Amino acid sequence: MGKVGTKWISGFWRRIGALFIDGLILSAVGFVLGLLLESTFVEIGDWGRLIGFSISLVYFGVMNSVVSNGQTLGKKALNIKVVNSSNDTISISKSFARYTVLAIPFSLNGIHITNEALLSYLMYPFSFLIFGGLFAIIYLYVCNRVTRQSLHDLIFGTYVVNSEVDHQTVGVIWKPHLLVVVILFVVSIILPIYTSQQANDESFEDLMSTQKTINSLSAVTYASVTSGSSIFASTSEDSQTKITTYVNVQAFISEDNVADEALARNLGEVVVNTYSESINKDVIKVTLTYGYDIGIWSQWFSHTHTFAPTDLLGFE
């Protein structure tokens, strides 16, 4: 017999706790791999995420299935498991597909997208998967309090339940939740239209051209270039507000030398020579970053170098 008075459906915090334990286990695996293969991970860049995705897919796909009674190590620790509506554990193929739906938006989030992809039709499926998928999954995790099913559970008819409790009849998801999910995916499709409109702006085109030039340098694996302003409030008695304008370059480099001022200055010189508006900015900030991200573990080192635009042009 199951525990009297305990719900069949697992609570939010128990489910998050199990995910936290599983995350620690996978992070430990990623940390060890990083110690052994750091230079390789740096060299392959974003493709390294496929390594973490594959490891996680095998871990969750196998252990959330009938093979391991629907329980990862985290779920075993907290006495919860993945089942279908009949309280039976699911097949390994369904478990693999279920995890894939959950993992793809998180695996794609934060990848470095080239200028060409950013301004092409590829942005629509990227936006659909990343923004639509992420927000839909998080929204359902937090707000679907009846069945506690997120997107991947709804698609495959699965539940995360308390393993020592007998099967109970549960309600159905509140229909407005499904409407919100549809709206989130629709908005994710509309977002790239805004990017396309930005691309017609001359200043944006100049920034993209500068970014492309920096990305072509052998020492740089990927770079992003942005322009903006910061507001600083003075702490003096007159309490004046100062606005500082800048161009910011974040360059991921292939060698572990983020303190290389000569390289940073070189990138700053590219900015002032290719982006005409940069000479009117207060500062050029160049952040050199070295490291890797394999999804289940990442390690980054950064150093920011700041230059006056006139210094980069050789003015006194």
Side-chain angles (χ1 to χ4, degrees):
M1 291 293 293
K3 294 181 178 179
V4 178
T6 303
K7 291 182 178 180
W8 181 55
I9 299 295
S10 170
F12 173 81
W13 289 112
R14 179 169 288 193
R15 192 167 175 178
I16 293 299
L19 184 60
F20 178 75
I21 294 172
D22 292 328
L24 288 178
I25 294 169
L26 291 172
S27 294
V29 173
F31 173 74
V32 173
L33 289 176
L35 291 178
L36 300 174
L37 301 169
E38 177 181 313
S39 59
T40 300
F41 292 158
V42 172
E43 183 178 349
I44 63 178
D46 281 337
W47 291 106
R49 293 190 178 212
L50 282 176
I51 297 172
F53 176 84
S54 299
I55 293 172
S56 298
L57 179 61
V58 172
Y59 176 79
F60 286 103
V62 172
M63 302 200 75
N64 277 332
S65 74
V66 64
V67 174
S68 186
N69 194 37
Q71 293 179 299
T72 60
L73 295 178
K75 289 184 176 68
K76 287 181 187 293
L78 294 178
N79 291 319
I80 60 178
K81 63 181 180 179
V82 177
V83 298
N84 60 20
S85 59
S86 300
N87 203 26
D88 297 320
T89 51
I90 61 177
S91 67
I92 193 168
S93 59
K94 178 178 282 189
S95 183
F96 268 71
R98 174 182 178 271
Y99 179 73
T100 299
V101 170
L102 173 65
I104 283 179
F106 291 93
S107 297
L108 291 176
N109 185 38
I111 64 171
H112 302 139
I113 301 176
T114 64
N115 297 338
E116 291 76 13
L118 182 66
L119 302 177
S120 72
Y121 288 107
L122 286 175
M123 274 307 297
Y124 291 93
F126 270 127
S127 181
F128 182 83
L129 291 172
I130 298 173
F131 297 107
L134 275 178
F135 285 113
I137 288 168
I138 294 171
Y139 172 80
L140 289 170
Y141 254 121
V142 175
C143 299
N144 178 20
R145 299 184 178 183
V146 176
T147 67
R148 287 297 179 187
Q149 292 170 291
S150 192
L151 186 65
H152 56 306
D153 289 314
L154 288 173
I155 291 174
F156 295 100
T158 56
Y159 299 84
V160 178
V161 302
N162 292 304
S163 57
E164 298 179 355
V165 177
D166 292 335
H167 178 266
Q168 300 169 6
T169 300
V170 296
V172 296
I173 185 172
W174 190 44
K175 299 301 182 185
H177 286 324
L178 300 179
L179 177 61
V180 171
V181 168
V182 170
I183 291 173
L184 288 172
F185 277 110
V186 170
V187 171
S188 73
I189 290 294
I190 296 173
L191 282 175
I193 297 175
Y194 172 73
T195 303
S196 299
Q197 291 174 341
Q198 267 195 321
N200 295 323
D201 180 78
E202 184 177 346
S203 177
F204 183 79
E205 289 181 351
D206 288 345
L207 276 176
M208 291 297 97
S209 177
T210 299
Q211 181 172 310
K212 185 175 182 179
T213 302
I214 293 176
N215 276 315
S216 68
L217 300 176
S218 59
V220 176
T221 58
Y222 178 81
S224 63
V225 183
T226 57
S227 177
S229 60
S230 300
I231 301 176
F232 299 94
S234 173
T235 57
S236 60
E237 294 182 358
D238 54 3
S239 187
Q240 294 182 344
T241 299
K242 177 177 175 56
I243 299 177
T244 300
T245 58
Y246 61 84
V247 175
N248 184 63
V249 178
Q250 182 171 25
F252 294 84
I253 57 177
S254 55
E255 300 293 335
D256 186 7
N257 191 14
V258 296
D260 189 346
E261 186 171 354
L263 174 59
R265 176 174 288 275
N266 182 35
L267 301 187
E269 290 172 351
V270 171
V271 171
V272 296
N273 288 324
T274 60
Y275 180 46
S276 58
E277 292 188 21
S278 64
I279 194 64
N280 299 317
K281 305 295 184 179
D282 294 315
V283 294
I284 307 292
K285 296 190 290 185
V286 179
T287 301
L288 300 181
T289 302
Y290 172 84
Y292 62 88
D293 182 355
I294 58 171
I296 56 176
W297 181 259
S298 63
Q299 182 170 280
W300 298 105
F301 302 97
S302 295
H303 185 82
T304 299
H305 306 259
T306 303
F307 306 98
T310 51
D311 290 342
L312 296 172
L313 283 174
F315 296 159
E316 297 296 333

